[in-house]
Structure formats: structure tokens, C-alpha cells
Amino acid sequence: MAGPVGRHPASKRKLSGNGRPGSRSLWPLLVSEISLLFRRRRTWAMLAALAAVPVLIAVAVRLTHSTTPGRGPAFLDRITGNGLFVVLTALVLCTPLFLPLTVGVTSGDTIAGEAGQGTLRYLLVAPAGRFRLLVVKYVGAAVFAVAATASVVWAGTTAGLLLFPVGPVPLLNGDVVGPWVAGGRLLLVGGYVCVSLLGLSAIGLFISTLTDAPVAATAATVVLAICAQVLDALPQLDWLHPWLFSHYWLGFADLLRQPIEWGSFGSNALLQLGYLGVFGALAYGRFSTKDVLS
């Protein structure tokens, strides 16, 4: 039985004398989980696919040498004048679909993937306990969300710098800031997108505790992300919109004003923390009573 246990080295640690987990048992398991995440080819394939989006945008605009104002995604018509807008255009495209898709794959695989491969019960033998295992799995999904966003920002910045001129950047209210200040704004936008994905990661974690089939958990998480955006687009459901985890996903435009408007950032963070609390509790309630047979 050494094969499945070897998937997480932390599973070889022993219980303390009183039969309870050691106080430091969380960290080896967390390091092992993140290390495993970034050793998977699937992870790097998804990051490469996300990085390809801004590169394709930049190359397409460069080859055509022109864009029509008012057509295409937001900020597309500004790329030829300043390469930093490649990042913003890519985030507008990736945030509603590609980022939720990859985050759904990762978070949906957290528990269901272990159960499907028959390694879940071996992980529970480790001195982490079910609660700590859930924490580690969620942190792993959140780390991937950060890496996914970072891949879009990094690839977009690189492509923009290589293919287009970079200079003072006009903000949405007409003010102009220098390239270094604009770069700081892009980092804030990236942080905003990372926060936006925390709620979806918690939903994926909960769904992953409901099934032993990772494909089913992944599909359900992605479908929920799409349904939330469809509901958010219906004006007849205005009362529901502020409660949908996707409602503030594109609110990072407020970070591109002078001065910065923090209202959307704060509302988004509170909403995502609410989803994390609710679905984290549901995941623990389900997982703590789950009969693990595999």
C-alpha cells in the first residue's frame, strides 16, 4: 500500500502520544499538496492555455494594425496606442469563462480526485484530520487561482511590451498616469480577479465532497459559474444580482479611475468571503460525516 500513500509524504507522519494530530502536521501536507499541484501536466497545460489568450490578442491586433472603436471586448481598441491594455483586454475575456473553467477543474478535483484514485482514505490516516485536509485542499485551489491570474497578467504584459509602444496610460475618467503607476494598477486588477475566484473555489470544494467522480464535480462547478452569470444578465432578477458570486467579477474597472474607487473591491471581497464561509462550512459538514471507502 506504499504507492497511494506516497502521493502525499505528509501521510507518513505519526500521531502524537495523545492520538491527536501534531500542531505542525498541516504544513508538510500543504507543501506536498502545492508541490503535487504544480507537478501535474494538467496544471501547466491550463496555465499555458490561459497565457496564450493575451498572446493571441496581441498578435492579432499587431498583424491587423488597427481596431475598430466600440467593437470587440473592452480596451481592445486601445492596445495599438499602449501595450499595457493587452492585459486588461485579456482579463475581460478570461474572467467570465476561461478562469472559472480552470479553477472549476482544480477545485472540483480536490476531494473527488483523491476518492476516485483511491488515495483519500490514506490521506485521512495522516495526522491532519478531515478539517485540516479540507483547508489544505482549498488553499491549493486558491493558489492555483492566483497562478492562473498571474499567467494572464504576465503573458499580457510581456506581449504588450514586445509588440506595442508603452507610455502614459489614460484612465477611465480621462486622467493620465505614468507606466509605473499603470503597472501598479494592473497588479491591483490582478489581485481583484484573484479575490473574485475565491468563492467559486469554495463552491468547487463543496461539490467535490459530494461525489467520487472528479469529472462530475468539475462539470457541476463550471455549470454553476455559467448559470450565475446568466442570472446576473437578466434585469428581471435585479434583487438577486448582489448575491451572485459572479456579480462583481468585472468590477475591476473601478481600479482604473483617479482616484481609485474601492467600493467594488470591498463589496466583492465581502461577497467572496461570505461564499467561502458558507460553502466551506457545508463542505466540512458533508466531509466530516462522509463514509470514505476508497
Side-chain angles (χ1 to χ4, degrees):
M1 294 188 293
V5 178
R7 192 176 182 216
H8 286 274
S11 62
K12 300 180 181 179
R13 291 172 59 89
K14 297 181 179 180
L15 294 175
S16 57
N18 57 5
R20 296 181 179 180
S23 59
R24 297 181 181 178
S25 62
L26 177 65
W27 301 109
L29 190 62
L30 179 59
V31 172
S32 177
E33 175 68 22
I34 296 176
S35 175
L36 173 66
L37 175 66
F38 287 100
R39 288 201 306 268
R40 291 175 174 170
R41 294 180 181 179
R42 181 188 68 187
T43 299
W44 289 104
M46 291 190 295
L47 294 178
L50 288 170
V53 174
V55 174
L56 290 175
I57 293 172
V59 171
V61 174
R62 182 65 178 176
L63 292 177
T64 57
H65 300 288
S66 65
T67 55
T68 303
R71 298 186 62 184
F75 307 111
L76 180 65
D77 56 339
R78 301 189 181 189
I79 290 178
T80 54
N82 197 310
L84 294 179
F85 283 104
V86 173
V87 179
L88 296 175
T89 305
L91 288 175
V92 169
L93 287 174
C94 289
T95 299
L97 178 59
F98 299 114
L99 283 171
L101 175 62
T102 55
V103 170
V105 170
T106 304
S107 60
D109 186 65
T110 48
I111 301 298
E114 299 286 358
Q117 295 185 28
T119 56
L120 184 56
R121 63 176 176 175
Y122 296 102
L123 282 177
L124 296 179
V125 175
R130 299 195 179 202
F131 175 76
R132 292 187 180 185
L133 180 59
L134 281 177
V135 171
V136 166
K137 290 294 185 179
Y138 178 78
V139 171
V143 168
F144 174 81
V146 173
T149 307
S151 68
V152 176
V153 174
W154 174 80
T157 302
T158 302
L161 292 176
L162 292 176
L163 298 179
F164 301 99
V166 174
V169 178
L171 300 178
L172 296 182
N173 58 352
D175 291 343
V176 178
V177 297
W180 289 107
V181 176
R185 296 291 184 97
L186 291 180
L187 292 178
L188 284 177
V189 170
Y192 184 102
V193 174
C194 291
V195 171
S196 299
L197 299 171
L198 295 181
L200 181 62
S201 298
I203 293 173
L205 177 69
F206 167 63
I207 296 176
S208 189
T209 64
L210 301 177
T211 177
D212 293 344
V215 174
T218 295
T221 304
V222 174
V223 168
L224 281 177
I226 295 173
C227 289
Q229 295 178 79
V230 170
L231 294 175
D232 198 32
L234 298 177
Q236 294 83 356
L237 298 176
D238 285 343
W239 59 271
L240 180 62
H241 293 171
W243 302 97
L244 297 172
F245 60 87
S246 62
H247 181 62
Y248 296 102
W249 277 2
L250 296 178
F252 55 75
D254 288 343
L255 301 178
L256 304 176
R257 305 181 188 277
Q258 186 69 22
I260 295 176
E261 297 181 7
W262 294 99
S264 295
F265 196 111
S267 298
N268 185 38
L270 288 175
L271 181 64
Q272 303 306 324
L273 288 176
Y275 271 88
L276 172 57
V278 171
F279 283 92
L282 290 174
Y284 177 71
R286 165 60 179 167
F287 192 54
S288 62
T289 60
K290 183 175 182 177
D291 187 12
V292 178
L293 300 178
S294 60

